[in-house]
Amino acid sequence: ATFILMYKAPDKAANSSASLKFFEWAFKNGDKMASELEYVPLPAPVKDLVRKQWTDIKDGGGKAVAFQ
């Protein structure tokens, strides 16, 4: 299993945003690749739960860090 550990109030919100945008891309585009590599794609409810947790990551002004 892979886990992403991120601060809820990162010093560099732009870096956190870039990381989350990469994982959002992977969630949207990675199922076919995962299957081809004989991995099990993450179920949609799991992806949704992870995305919900991302909303807890805030920039210095208290605004949620963008991931889309």
Side-chain angles (χ1 to χ4, degrees):
T2 301
F3 295 93
I4 305 167
L5 299 176
M6 299 187 77
Y7 291 106
K8 285 188 174 187
D11 289 336
K12 297 181 181 177
N15 291 352
S16 295
S17 178
S19 297
L20 294 178
K21 286 177 181 180
F22 166 76
F23 283 101
E24 178 64 17
W25 173 87
F27 282 0
K28 288 182 177 179
N29 300 290
D31 288 352
K32 182 176 185 259
M33 188 182 307
S35 294
E36 289 171 353
L37 294 171
E38 298 185 11
Y39 288 96
V40 177
L42 289 174
V46 173
K47 293 176 191 178
D48 292 339
L49 181 61
V50 171
R51 287 180 182 113
K52 183 178 178 189
Q53 297 299 309
W54 290 347
T55 62
D56 291 339
I57 302 171
K58 311 285 184 186
D59 65 13
K63 182 179 175 187
V65 172
F67 61 88
Q68 294 182 337

